[in-house]
Amino acid sequence: MIKKLLLAALILGVGGAAVYFFYVKKPRVTTDAKKTEITTTAAELADKYDDAKYLGKIIEVSGKIASVEKTNDATLVVLETGAASAVACSFSQNTPPPSVSAGQEVVLKCQCNGKSTGDFPDVNLSSCMFIK
């Protein structure tokens, strides 16, 4: 009985370690290592957004910065669209954007995470990096 319990504990321990090393400690592939799948403007992305076309894709998006918000662990750059919705581009603490400000024209490469719901739905992009 004790041998079976020890064997079960050993199997669970090895399985847990495998999950940890293969999924948790797995090196993250950054956006710059991925190929751009779609090139568009912020206005077109917000206006013609469709999950089937954009969700999960690597997008190169150009537009004018409406605002920049910084927190402890991320920076959010919101692009103007000329509509009620915006394009929200997030940068992690590991890849902060260069010094940018509202009104500046930029080109970003990001992964599309979908469109939020509500009165002012935003297209959400993550893992962003500046192209220019």
Side-chain angles (χ1 to χ4, degrees):
M1 177 77 170
I2 297 227
K3 286 183 180 180
K4 287 182 181 179
L5 288 174
L6 287 174
L7 181 60
L10 177 65
I11 290 172
L12 286 174
V14 169
V19 167
Y20 177 77
F21 284 107
F22 287 111
Y23 293 102
V24 176
K25 296 297 280 182
K26 181 180 178 181
R28 304 288 181 229
V29 177
T30 59
T31 306
D32 63 340
K34 296 181 180 179
K35 182 181 177 195
T36 299
E37 298 172 76
I38 299 170
T39 301
T40 187
T41 64
E44 181 180 351
L45 181 60
D47 184 47
K48 298 181 179 179
Y49 182 82
D50 177 26
D51 273 348
K53 181 175 181 180
Y54 295 104
L55 186 62
K57 301 284 181 15
I58 302 298
I59 298 174
E60 193 171 294
V61 60
S62 59
K64 186 184 286 190
I65 296 176
S67 66
V68 179
E69 302 169 25
K70 295 183 180 189
T71 64
N72 290 338
D73 58 346
T75 300
L76 183 69
V77 174
V78 178
L79 300 179
E80 294 179 2
T81 63
S85 62
V87 175
C89 310
S90 65
F91 295 80
S92 72
Q93 186 177 18
N94 298 335
T95 58
S99 185
V100 293
S101 58
Q104 185 176 346
E105 291 283 341
V106 294
V107 178
L108 308 174
K109 184 177 176 183
C110 311
Q111 180 166 348
C112 183
N113 294 336
K115 192 170 190 175
S116 60
T117 58
D119 293 335
F120 302 105
D122 294 336
V123 177
N124 298 303
L125 305 178
S126 66
S127 304
C128 294
M129 60 175 282
F130 274 86
I131 302 296
K132 62 178 180 176

